[in-house]
Amino acid sequence: MISPLTQPIEQIASADILRCGPQASVREAAARMMESGCGSIIVMEGDKAIGIWTESDALKVDFTDAHSCKQPVAEVMSSPVVVFPHHMSVHDVLGQFRQHNIRHALIEKFGHICGIVSLSDVVLCQGTEAFLGLKRLDAINAPPVTILDGSDRLPAALACMRNEQLTAVAVQCADGSYGILTQRDVVRLVAEGNWQASLGEVCTAPLLGVPHTTSLLQARRVILQHQIRHLGVFDQDNKLIHIIGFRDIIQSIEHEFLLELHGALRERDEALLQSRQSLLLADKVFEATMEGILITDGGGTIQSVNPAFSRITGYSREEALGKKPSLLKSGKQPPEFYEYLWRCLRVEGSWQGEVVNRRKNGLLYTEHLSITAIRDERGECLHYVAVFSDITQRKQAEERLHFLANHDALTGLPNRTLFLEKLQSAVEQAAQYNRRFALLFIDLDRFKLVNDTMGHHAGDELLVRIASELQRIAPALSTVARLSGDEFTVLLENIDTVQQVASRAQNLLDAISTESTVAGQGVFISASIGISMFPEDGADADALLVNADTAMYRAKERGKNNFQFYTADMNARAIERLKMEYSLHRALAQNELEVWYQPKVDLDTRQIVGAEALVRWRHPEMGLISPAQFIPLAEESSLITAIGEWVLDTTCSDMHRWLVAGVLPGRIAVNVSGRQLKYSSIVDTVSEALHRHGLDSSLLELEITESVAMDEDSGVVEVLRRLQALGIYLSIDDFGTGYSSLSYLKRLPVRGLKIDQSFIMDLHQDRDDAAITEAIISIARSLGLDLVAEGVELEEQRQFLVAQGCRAGQGYLFSRPVPAAEFEDLLQHRFA
């Protein structure tokens, strides 16, 4: 707590300063002092204080000379005026008052007069109660009272007050009571000019007094209550013994104040010593601590670092000072991380956590970091203190322990614990987003025989190879794990079809079943795989794992080296689809595919004007297989590219033969898949086929489905433009079944449209289909595109199309798709 006498003097000074000019008369000055209730007036010459005239100076007025009140105040003022700095303590001001024997002084701040302070201000200031309550009036060293007779004249009284340096005297009135004459009364008399009256006439009566046992604090309260500055003190016999004023009160408490001040100074010195010792200790801790310490200003500029900072980061003190802490940034934390960090510092004043930073040599390290904001009394941030320790090795050890706890020590694959976590997560994600996934449970066949005959070391070597093969074959984002012994699992997420799972399972079996060299000997091992599907075979992780294990044992029972789905019908479909995929691979190699042709005719004359090449598969056991069965399979297995190239080459070969024979009716159309346009070098393939068979590009037409043509982001348009540059006639197949944008269609390098057969089928009896067909014909006409109608089977359909302006069509009304030999007969008959 700050003592009232140690506070700055400006806190109790008055800002209202009574002023007058140097030519003002003494009477005018006195009148202004009485009017303002001030004990002094400052004599100013311009902006400069040249003197002061106080109540004490009023005692010097010669009341026997009427002219003395008319003289300029500059002639009788005290000069120079004492001026104290605003920060001087009340105690020091009191010492100056005593040394200069004054009661008033001006206060200066930054070169300007800002107030005035008096002895009364000190007595009346808040906070002196603690000192005033310690003493009674009978304990102070006050001078004996001076009592004058009421019949005495004023000049005699003033002479007494001047000679004995009294601020007040008592006046014995005729009735035996007491009055009082003070310096302020003298100022009043100067202002009034009442000089010849007796003391009894001009004194203030009665004299207010208190018993000598009254405390100084109570005495001050009486003074404040009655707005007076002097008080009579009576003994136990009611005899007047003292008149006390503000000076007496101040002198009485100075001793107690000095004792307290000495105690405060002693405490301050002890605190300073302790502070210096604490600072010395803090410096040693700052220098010696193993944690890095970084101190910035409120703007984040580094002001200080300790040796541990340099040891951890590699930056010297000189390299760090004046920089921002961002010189350590690694880029491993996103901007959101730092936004949260600064938000914590602004709101809570602190933040701690782990950060990956970069040393001067470029190496990353992990640190545990604590940042604290240092604020002033107004809450403004002055500094930030960051303390950090390098925990890189600890983090690496933790990560290693975590890896060992969740991975198989031999193969490095996730173990049962981690796999079950991933399986549970897959269940939750698939349930939330309505997805499917597959769990493959793999058990090696006859692995125990390898262990028993060749030893555990050979068995471990084989397990490592199997794990490597599984990881290599498994698709991206899948999970391969080793549960125990020779049991592995594979988690395939985001599955679309069962056939995909079957294909993956077969690939895994093929990878495992290759011959291996283990411990210098060749071994052949196979595996049995059980498959469960979510959600068909279980809604939780445990059920899926149990059912996959059950399916694996079923595979064992069926001769090993195969896979089985938990659901029987799913298993049958998957195996059938897999067989067909293998058969399709064989079909290409063994020339089981054929190209058939369906004529395109002039709807008006019924003459053949071209044809569409269609692929057919003649299976040696299943016979002729519909394209609807194997084309989607070819698309999924990427065989469509090889099949498409074979169809193109075969068609070009047939076209060349018909051209030489003089029976080629016109363009022959070949269908092109989206995969061929996106992922193969189809432009080069077409160019080479035409060149190889000596055909002009104008004889070949390529048909692209509407959905593929409308894919703006796949690069298809650029490929079509390159094909157009070769001279190839391009058309859109199945038009009207997709979502064509006419503005986009207008930009495509196509010359023809084929109206999908779904609109032709019922146009003779369905007004909607008829309207749609009319609209398509109108669009083609407006865009300058050729038209071919698919699926024309009835004469009514032909007549409608002719009437609407569609000139070409194909369908059963004219001919079904036929083998190349039959189509050639049709052509021969056309020219017969």
Side-chain angles (χ1 to χ4, degrees):
M1 177 181 177
I2 299 176
S3 169
L5 299 184
T6 59
Q7 61 184 316
I9 193 65
E10 69 171 332
Q11 294 187 5
I12 66 169
S14 172
D16 296 326
I17 303 174
L18 185 62
R19 298 175 171 86
C20 71
Q23 298 306 316
S25 67
V26 170
R27 176 175 288 178
E28 290 173 0
R32 294 190 63 186
M33 289 170 62
M34 292 306 298
E35 181 183 349
S36 302
C38 293
S40 63
I41 187 168
I42 303 300
V43 182
M44 303 291 295
E45 190 170 49
D47 293 334
K48 183 179 180 182
I50 61 173
I52 184 171
W53 194 72
T54 68
E55 294 173 343
S56 297
D57 294 321
L59 296 176
K60 301 174 185 178
V61 175
D62 186 355
F63 277 73
T64 62
D65 183 2
H67 179 70
S68 63
C69 287
K70 298 179 181 179
Q71 62 184 328
V73 70
E75 296 179 5
V76 294
M77 67 184 181
S78 298
S79 181
V81 186
V82 176
V83 180
F84 298 140
H86 68 97
H87 54 73
M88 182 179 283
S89 71
V90 173
H91 172 264
D92 291 340
V93 169
L94 286 176
Q96 292 295 315
F97 277 178
R98 185 168 54 253
Q99 179 181 343
H100 296 285
N101 194 27
I102 58 175
R103 296 179 60 189
H104 301 83
L106 292 176
I107 304 301
E108 181 187 58
K109 186 174 185 179
F110 305 134
H112 300 284
I113 301 301
C114 64
I116 186 169
V117 67
S118 70
L119 199 61
S120 302
D121 296 322
V122 177
V123 175
L124 299 177
C125 76
Q126 296 294 321
T128 57
E129 292 87 348
F131 301 115
L132 296 174
L134 296 175
K135 274 192 175 184
R136 301 192 313 185
L137 292 174
D138 56 6
I140 68 173
N141 188 23
V145 65
T146 298
I147 303 175
L148 300 179
D149 192 86
S151 60
D152 291 342
R153 295 295 171 181
L154 187 58
L158 297 183
C160 175
M161 293 175 70
R162 278 197 305 269
N163 294 335
E164 298 184 24
Q165 297 184 344
L166 300 175
T167 59
V169 293
V171 178
Q172 182 79 58
C173 297
D175 60 359
S177 64
Y178 294 103
I180 185 171
L181 181 70
T182 68
Q183 291 179 348
R184 178 155 293 191
D185 291 325
V186 175
V187 174
R188 173 173 53 80
L189 293 173
V190 171
E192 295 172 353
N194 187 8
W195 299 352
Q196 301 304 321
S198 64
L199 294 182
E201 293 173 330
V202 299
C203 71
T204 300
L207 169 65
L208 292 178
V210 293
H212 65 103
T213 56
T214 302
S215 70
L216 291 178
L217 180 60
Q218 184 61 34
R220 190 184 76 161
R221 288 174 182 165
V222 174
I223 289 173
L224 291 175
Q225 180 182 354
H226 295 281
Q227 297 294 304
I228 57 177
R229 295 192 296 171
H230 293 82
L231 199 61
V233 180
F234 294 89
D235 63 11
Q236 65 271 18
D237 299 324
N238 204 31
K239 177 184 176 182
L240 181 63
I241 55 175
H242 303 294
I243 290 179
I244 64 166
F246 287 147
R247 180 179 296 174
D248 301 308
I249 293 175
I250 287 297
Q251 290 175 346
S252 70
I253 66 175
E254 277 190 314
H255 178 68
E256 282 73 17
F257 169 70
L258 288 174
L259 288 177
E260 180 176 288
L261 182 61
H262 290 155
L265 290 175
R266 185 175 62 254
E267 291 177 4
R268 182 199 66 182
D269 292 341
E270 291 174 354
L272 285 174
L273 177 61
Q274 185 175 359
S275 177
R276 281 195 295 269
Q277 292 174 342
S278 297
L279 286 174
L280 180 61
L281 179 60
D283 281 342
K284 290 183 177 179
V285 171
F286 185 79
E287 294 294 320
T289 183
M290 296 297 290
E291 284 78 19
I293 301 176
L294 176 151
I295 302 173
T296 75
D297 60 17
T301 300
I302 299 175
Q303 293 185 321
S304 182
V305 298
N306 70 339
F309 170 92
S310 299
R311 175 177 52 78
I312 294 172
T313 68
Y315 289 97
S316 67
R317 184 175 183 275
E318 291 72 21
E319 290 173 319
L321 295 186
K323 303 292 195 308
K324 299 287 187 180
S326 56
L327 89 162
L328 302 174
K329 254 188 181 180
S330 65
K332 295 297 183 181
Q333 286 79 220
E336 296 79 13
F337 172 88
Y338 293 102
E339 290 172 6
Y340 175 73
L341 184 153
W342 282 107
R343 187 161 60 248
C344 288
L345 288 177
R346 286 192 297 269
V347 176
E348 302 173 11
S350 63
W351 179 89
Q352 66 171 342
E354 292 182 3
V355 182
V356 177
N357 274 339
R358 192 179 300 276
R359 306 185 206 271
K360 182 181 177 181
N361 61 11
L363 295 178
L364 298 178
Y365 70 98
T366 305
E367 65 180 34
H368 184 275
L369 173 64
S370 298
I371 307 177
T372 304
I374 308 299
R375 306 184 187 276
D376 59 16
E377 61 276 3
R378 294 174 299 175
E380 296 292 331
C381 184
L382 301 177
H383 301 281
Y384 292 104
V385 179
V387 180
F388 62 93
S389 55
D390 185 351
I391 59 171
T392 305
Q393 292 184 348
R394 190 188 81 192
K395 291 291 292 183
Q396 291 174 345
E398 289 176 355
E399 291 170 1
R400 179 61 181 164
L401 287 174
H402 183 269
F403 182 86
L404 292 175
N406 292 280
H407 290 78
D408 174 46
L410 177 64
T411 63
L413 295 177
N415 61 14
R416 178 181 289 271
T417 301
L418 181 56
F419 178 76
L420 290 177
E421 290 179 8
K422 288 182 175 291
L423 179 58
Q424 181 61 37
S425 176
V427 168
E428 294 169 359
Q429 291 287 317
Q432 181 178 358
Y433 297 106
N434 194 28
R435 296 172 180 164
R436 301 174 79 191
F437 70 84
L439 170 59
L440 280 62
F441 194 105
I442 305 170
D443 186 89
L444 301 183
D445 300 326
R446 296 179 298 278
F447 176 74
K448 185 175 183 299
L449 181 62
V450 175
N451 257 350
D452 293 344
T453 57
M454 302 178 65
H456 289 284
H457 177 74
D460 290 346
E461 185 180 340
L462 181 60
L463 290 174
V464 170
R465 185 193 73 79
I466 297 296
S468 177
E469 284 297 305
L470 292 177
Q471 287 180 299
R472 183 181 65 83
I473 295 298
L477 302 180
S478 61
T479 300
V480 180
R482 181 189 178 203
L483 297 193
S484 64
D486 60 343
E487 293 179 341
F488 296 86
T489 53
V490 178
L491 187 61
L492 300 176
E493 298 190 61
N494 296 328
I495 291 300
D496 293 323
T497 64
V498 174
Q499 288 70 32
Q500 283 180 305
V501 181
S503 180
R504 298 292 186 192
Q506 188 60 52
N507 290 342
L508 292 173
L509 286 176
D510 293 342
I512 293 172
S513 301
T514 57
E515 186 175 356
S516 301
T517 301
V518 176
Q521 295 186 35
V523 296
F524 182 87
I525 197 165
S526 62
S528 299
I529 301 179
I531 305 171
S532 60
M533 299 287 296
F534 178 89
E536 295 92 332
D537 300 330
D540 58 69
D542 289 340
L544 289 168
L545 193 60
V546 169
N547 290 341
D549 186 45
T550 300
M552 183 272 296
Y553 277 107
R554 188 182 303 154
K556 292 273 190 189
E557 293 169 357
R558 298 189 177 184
K560 302 182 176 62
N561 195 22
N562 72 98
F563 63 85
Q564 292 291 317
F565 283 86
Y566 179 73
T567 304
D569 60 339
M570 188 182 294
N571 193 66
R573 290 197 307 272
I575 292 175
E576 180 182 351
R577 184 67 175 256
L578 190 61
K579 285 181 179 179
M580 183 172 288
E581 183 179 332
Y582 277 126
S583 297
L584 192 55
H585 276 278
R586 187 192 61 196
L588 267 173
Q590 298 185 1
N591 297 320
E592 295 176 6
L593 299 180
E594 300 176 2
V595 176
W596 289 26
Y597 297 90
Q598 184 173 30
K600 293 182 182 179
V601 302
D602 184 309
L603 291 176
D604 191 19
T605 66
R606 299 177 182 256
Q607 291 296 310
I608 298 175
V609 295
E612 178 182 4
L614 301 166
V615 66
R616 294 291 185 267
W617 179 12
R618 193 178 299 278
H619 193 279
E621 299 171 1
M622 294 184 284
L624 203 61
I625 298 176
S626 167
Q629 288 182 268
F630 69 85
I631 291 298
L633 180 61
E635 291 274 8
E636 288 179 16
S637 62
S638 302
L639 279 172
I640 193 65
T641 299
I643 293 174
E645 292 178 358
W646 180 86
V647 170
L648 175 65
D649 188 72
T650 302
T651 302
C652 287
S653 176
D654 290 342
M655 288 170 62
H656 173 74
R657 187 174 67 257
W658 297 331
L659 181 64
V660 171
V663 296
L664 183 65
R667 290 187 306 273
I668 305 297
V670 175
N671 291 285
V672 179
S673 72
R675 182 177 289 274
Q676 285 178 275
L677 289 171
K678 296 176 186 178
Y679 306 118
S680 70
S681 53
I682 188 170
V683 178
D684 295 336
T685 301
V686 171
S687 178
E688 290 169 5
L690 292 172
H691 179 73
R692 184 164 53 251
H693 296 287
L695 295 175
D696 188 271
S697 59
S698 62
L699 296 175
L700 178 64
E701 176 180 347
L702 297 181
E703 292 186 4
I704 304 99
T705 60
E706 181 180 14
S707 58
V708 172
M710 294 299 127
D711 189 354
E712 297 186 59
D713 299 326
S714 63
V716 167
V717 176
E718 177 59 29
V719 174
L720 294 180
R721 289 198 176 110
R722 292 174 61 198
L723 289 170
Q724 182 193 42
L726 286 180
I728 305 299
Y729 184 99
L730 301 174
S731 63
I732 294 180
D733 193 13
D734 303 332
F735 186 77
T737 59
Y739 301 93
S740 297
S741 163
L742 296 182
S743 61
Y744 181 63
L745 177 63
K746 187 171 63 175
R747 299 197 302 270
L748 288 175
V750 297
R751 297 173 60 186
L753 299 179
K754 291 186 72 174
I755 306 174
D756 188 70
Q757 61 182 351
S758 61
F759 302 119
I760 305 299
M761 186 184 308
D762 296 319
L763 64 77
H764 60 289
Q765 58 187 12
D766 188 312
R767 291 201 297 186
D768 290 340
D769 284 348
I772 293 172
T773 303
E774 287 180 31
I776 294 174
I777 294 171
S778 176
I779 289 170
R781 184 183 301 116
S782 64
L783 294 178
L785 299 176
D786 299 332
L787 266 179
V788 175
E790 286 186 294
V792 181
E793 299 183 357
L794 302 173
E795 178 62 24
E796 296 95 321
Q797 296 167 351
R798 184 192 71 81
Q799 292 175 1
F800 177 90
L801 293 167
V802 170
Q804 296 301 320
C806 179
R807 301 186 58 185
Q810 65 185 92
Y812 289 0
L813 178 62
F814 313 110
S815 173
R816 294 173 177 270
V818 294
E822 291 186 31
F823 181 68
E824 189 170 341
D825 288 342
L826 288 175
L827 296 179
Q828 294 287 355
H829 182 267
R830 170 174 174 260
F831 287 98

